[in-house]
Amino acid sequence: MSFNFKRLHLRAPLKTSALYLVDDFALKGSILNISEGGLLLENLPSVPDIKAIPLMFPLIDYPEFSLLHPEVLLGLKVLFLEKKIVRMKARIVRSFEGFSDVDRVFVTKIGCEFVSSSDKCKEYISDYVARYAKNLIYFLGLFEGRGQKADRNKLLRKTAGLLGYDSEMQIAQMRLKALHDYQSLEST
């Protein structure tokens, strides 16, 4: 018997924080990736018991890197890129039945499915994923690019930092992480 699973939505890395509400307390967790259908959270100080948690997080409004002159790209700073604030509700899709309170503390990653969002927020997420995919393809193309190695490495490291990678890691390791994320973008 073989199973052929396909994702319903493309997902893209999103290395940012999310605020969520539990019992009138605002808590912070980290987002690892996002799609139009949901997101993957980690480092939650408390796993909510409620069905749908209100979330709020920023999405970077990236320009399309391939359309920019290299000097313009080298001058970009994530801090100054526009951010869209997304507010929506998501339900935890992982079941915690049978988990003790102590066991739940050791759960580090939680998948959430969006259950309530505005069309505008859905559009922000769709645009983010599409633009990130294009920029990741551009980034991977830089590894194959010809030209002076010093200039290429400078552009690689800058693009890596803009996309949320550690710009100081070894080039080969950077390429492996980008290839992994590219595979995650695919819907199969």
Side-chain angles (χ1 to χ4, degrees), residues 62-63 65 68-81 132 135 138-139 142-143 149-169 171 174:
Y62 285 112
F65 295 163
L68 301 177
H69 187 277
E71 291 302 318
V72 173
L73 184 60
L74 288 170
L76 285 180
K77 294 187 185 325
V78 171
L79 182 64
F80 298 122
L81 293 176
Y132 195 97
N135 288 341
Y138 170 81
F139 181 49
L142 290 175
F143 290 101
K149 188 175 179 179
D151 291 342
R152 184 173 58 97
N153 285 351
K154 191 175 178 183
L155 199 53
L156 271 168
R157 292 194 181 284
K158 179 61 177 191
T159 306
L162 289 169
L163 292 175
Y165 297 100
D166 178 0
S167 62
E168 299 300 316
M169 76 172 70
I171 297 291
M174 193 184 293

Side-chain angles (χ1 to χ4, degrees), residues 14 25 27 36 44 49-50 65 86 88 90 100 114 118 128-129 134 138 140-141 144 149 156 161-162 164 175:
L14 178 60
F25 292 99
L27 302 173
E36 289 179 53
L44 302 178
D49 286 327
I50 57 179
F65 295 163
V86 176
M88 51 184 27
S100 71
F114 297 133
S118 68
Y128 173 85
V129 172
K134 288 179 182 180
Y138 170 81
L140 287 168
E144 308 304 322
K149 188 175 179 179
L156 271 168
L162 289 169
R175 184 175 182 271

Side-chain angles (χ1 to χ4, degrees), residues 97-167:
E97 288 180 29
F99 278 67
S100 71
D101 287 341
V102 173
D103 290 335
R104 290 175 65 167
V105 169
F106 294 105
V107 174
T108 60
K109 296 178 183 172
I110 296 172
C112 294
E113 177 183 35
F114 297 133
V115 293
S116 171
S117 64
S118 68
D119 288 340
K120 189 54 103 175
C121 286
K122 289 177 187 175
E123 181 182 322
Y124 289 163
I125 293 169
S126 177
D127 290 348
Y128 173 85
V129 172
R131 186 69 48 87
Y132 195 97
K134 288 179 182 180
N135 288 341
L136 187 58
I137 291 167
Y138 170 81
F139 181 49
L140 287 168
L142 290 175
F143 290 101
E144 308 304 322
R146 312 262 187 267
Q148 294 184 7
K149 188 175 179 179
D151 291 342
R152 184 173 58 97
N153 285 351
K154 191 175 178 183
L155 199 53
L156 271 168
R157 292 194 181 284
K158 179 61 177 191
T159 306
L162 289 169
L163 292 175
Y165 297 100
D166 178 0
S167 62

